[in-house]
Amino acid sequence: MIQLMRDFLFPVASTLVMGIYIASLFLLSLYGLHRYWTIFLYMRHRKKTVPPTLRTLPDLPKVTVQLPLFNEMYVAERLIDAVCNLDYPKEKLHIQVLDDSTDETVSVVQEKVLKMRASGFDIDHVRRESREGFKAGALSFGLKSAKGEFIAIFDADFIPPAEFLKGTIPYFQDGQVGMVQTRWGHLNDKYSLLTRLQALFLDGHFLLEHTARHQSGAFFNFNGTAGIWRKEAILSADDWSSRTLTEDMDLSFRAQLAGWKFVYVPHIVCPAELPVQIHAFLSQQKRWAKGAIQTAKFILKDLWKAKVPLLIKIEGTIHLTSNFGYLLALVLTLLLLPSLILFQGSSFAFVHVLEWMSLFFIASSISIFYAIAQKAIYPDWKWRLRDIPFLMAFGIGLCISNATAVLEGLFGRKSD
């Protein structure tokens, strides 16, 4: 009886493992193929320049700069100073420090706001009774009293360059433009291997993905900071929502589905500090992965119903679901040993051929993708390429944390 059960179960188990393994390889290969498509689009559009007519704007509009803070006592003053140093007329600038802090940040900000107000700045220290909705709630709350026609947003760890507003506001001469996103830079990318790897990740995302999506007419997202919105675009897309952990991505897709155009400006760089502790980085990545899946659950149905080109629908779907790659990579890792045991013999040789071809395809797309970004940004790009093998290993290391986040987002587990 035991032998009969073994004879029955082994083929079933082999077939099941082989099916899951091949399906995971195939889906990961599709994401690798999309990465090559992104590279193609970037190379095709990378030399496009900003039209000269967008360089000037005769009548500068009123702008509100929102600074959402939560317990950021060490960088709050630096951020406020940077915003007050923006090259923009004081009478056209309104600053809101959206302070949900529960520590000494409150007194630090209060003192700084009073000082800058005495210097002639229109700056408010905005406090709420509760942190309902977290960052999305704070932005929405501030929007009710925002005086500007345009809303620039900076997180606490960013230092906007003085030319930020004069470099982005001209794009809004096109009445259909709802948001302008600038590129993130790095203040401490050389601090450690961890910060170097984060910089690699972000450089690829901002330079290649944003450029490819923007210039090809696909949807891309506001990154939560270092960008500026038309206030009307936020309100027409039903305002900020805390239904996901990535309120920026959620609003971005809703606004673009409502007909607003987004612009990406890579030549304006807003430097920021990268997390230097691994638990902070993992928490950030998990939040982004979970939030993207939550957004996909809300947005994909509307995206496929929308009257937009098929390529935009496909690109948007891949964009929103790309974090499934972590779950697929984890499945491949867990099935590696069983596959080696089960797929022995010449009858399963094709599985190993497919495996090596797929893994080479995925690894090569990652290497080329990030190498191109480094070459485009840094004079010492050749030296920076040494970190790419570590980047791929690090990506595998993120699989458990981010795969958990994907599952939590997929099955509706709530978190702050």
Side-chain angles (χ1 to χ4, degrees):
M1 178 63 72
I2 294 176
Q3 186 61 41
L4 288 173
M5 291 179 65
R6 286 176 178 172
D7 291 342
F8 173 74
L9 292 175
F10 186 80
V12 173
S14 298
T15 302
L16 181 62
V17 170
M18 183 172 66
I20 296 174
Y21 195 77
I22 292 176
S24 298
L25 277 174
F26 175 73
L27 291 173
L28 269 179
S29 295
L30 289 181
Y31 284 116
L33 180 62
H34 175 260
R35 197 173 289 111
Y36 274 117
W37 175 245
T38 301
I39 292 170
F40 167 75
L41 289 176
Y42 168 76
M43 299 300 290
R44 182 180 181 181
H45 296 295
R46 71 188 188 282
K47 292 184 179 179
K48 286 189 176 180
T49 57
V50 181
T53 54
L54 294 178
R55 293 294 187 184
T56 59
L57 193 68
D59 185 22
L60 293 175
K62 186 87 170 182
V63 176
T64 292
V65 181
Q66 293 186 325
L67 311 176
L69 301 180
F70 178 68
N71 296 349
E72 302 282 1
M73 61 179 293
Y74 296 109
V75 293
E77 286 191 84
R78 183 184 70 182
L79 174 62
I80 295 172
D81 282 334
V83 171
C84 290
N85 284 328
L86 290 171
D87 181 17
Y88 209 72
K90 280 186 181 181
E91 67 274 12
K92 298 284 188 176
L93 189 63
H94 173 222
I95 303 169
Q96 290 181 323
V97 185
L98 307 176
D99 184 14
D100 282 350
S101 301
T102 58
D103 66 358
E104 296 175 53
T105 305
V106 179
S107 58
V108 170
V109 170
Q110 199 169 42
E111 183 178 344
K112 187 68 177 180
V113 167
L114 289 173
K115 181 178 178 181
M116 301 316 294
R117 192 178 293 162
S119 299
F121 286 95
D122 183 5
I123 181 170
D124 299 320
H125 186 196
V126 182
R127 298 276 295 164
R128 299 189 293 161
E129 293 182 0
S130 71
R131 290 190 66 213
E132 182 180 358
F134 303 102
K135 181 180 177 181
L139 293 171
S140 180
F141 184 82
L143 198 63
K144 293 177 175 64
S145 57
K147 301 175 184 178
E149 179 185 352
F150 300 97
I151 311 294
I153 301 170
F154 299 103
D155 283 348
D157 46 353
F158 280 74
I159 303 178
E163 68 274 12
F164 178 87
L165 290 179
K166 286 189 175 179
T168 55
I169 284 293
Y171 290 92
F172 291 103
Q173 288 180 109
D174 181 345
Q176 291 184 306
V177 171
M179 191 279 300
V180 177
Q181 174 70 54
T182 63
R183 181 162 61 89
W184 291 9
H186 320 295
L187 292 170
N188 60 336
D189 56 318
K190 296 182 180 179
Y191 180 82
S192 67
L193 178 61
L194 174 62
T195 56
R196 296 203 308 269
L197 296 180
Q198 290 178 71
L200 273 172
F201 271 124
L202 291 171
D203 290 340
H205 169 65
F206 274 91
L207 190 67
L208 270 70
E209 291 184 9
H210 271 359
T211 299
R213 287 174 177 142
H214 169 223
Q215 297 292 356
S216 65
F219 289 177
F220 73 97
N221 62 291
F222 169 59
N223 292 99
T225 178
I228 179 168
W229 283 82
R230 189 188 296 272
K231 185 178 180 179
E232 182 187 352
I234 298 175
L235 296 176
S236 69
D238 297 329
D239 205 349
W240 296 99
S241 172
S242 60
R243 64 182 182 173
T244 75
L245 294 180
T246 48
E247 68 286 327
D248 44 11
M249 180 178 285
D250 185 15
L251 179 60
S252 295
F253 273 81
R254 284 188 278 120
Q256 288 169 105
L257 286 172
W260 293 100
K261 293 195 304 186
F262 282 14
V263 174
Y264 175 55
V265 187
H267 62 270
I268 297 179
V269 182
C270 290
E273 290 189 18
L274 298 162
V276 297
Q277 296 179 327
I278 188 66
H279 74 270
F281 171 70
L282 290 175
S283 175
Q284 178 195 69
Q285 292 297 308
K286 187 172 183 178
R287 185 172 69 253
W288 289 351
K290 183 174 180 177
I293 299 303
Q294 291 173 327
T295 303
K297 289 174 64 178
F298 286 113
I299 295 296
L300 281 180
K301 184 178 180 181
D302 293 334
L303 176 63
W304 281 92
K305 284 183 177 180
K307 294 181 180 179
V308 296
L310 179 61
L311 283 178
I312 291 181
K313 295 179 180 181
I314 295 173
E315 172 61 36
T317 301
I318 295 173
H319 185 178
L320 291 170
T321 63
S322 62
N323 284 288
F324 275 110
Y326 290 107
L327 184 59
L328 295 170
L330 180 60
V331 169
L332 285 180
T333 303
L334 294 176
L335 292 182
L336 181 60
L337 182 59
S339 71
L340 291 174
I341 296 172
L342 293 173
F343 303 156
Q344 294 184 25
S346 58
S347 60
F348 293 107
F350 80 94
V351 176
H352 295 299
V353 173
L354 175 64
E355 175 184 55
W356 286 109
M357 287 180 62
S358 299
L359 292 177
F360 174 79
F361 182 68
I362 295 164
S364 64
S365 68
I366 293 173
S367 300
I368 296 171
F369 183 86
Y370 290 106
I372 290 174
Q374 296 304 293
K375 183 179 180 180
I377 298 174
Y378 304 105
D380 62 341
W381 62 275
K382 291 181 180 179
W383 175 249
R384 292 172 180 267
L385 297 185
R386 75 193 189 282
D387 288 330
I388 289 181
F390 297 105
L391 180 74
M392 290 189 280
F394 197 55
I396 296 297
L398 288 173
C399 282
I400 294 178
S401 176
N402 282 9
T404 302
V406 168
L407 292 173
E408 288 180 359
L410 194 61
F411 294 105
R413 181 177 176 180
K414 298 290 185 180
S415 60
D416 294 344

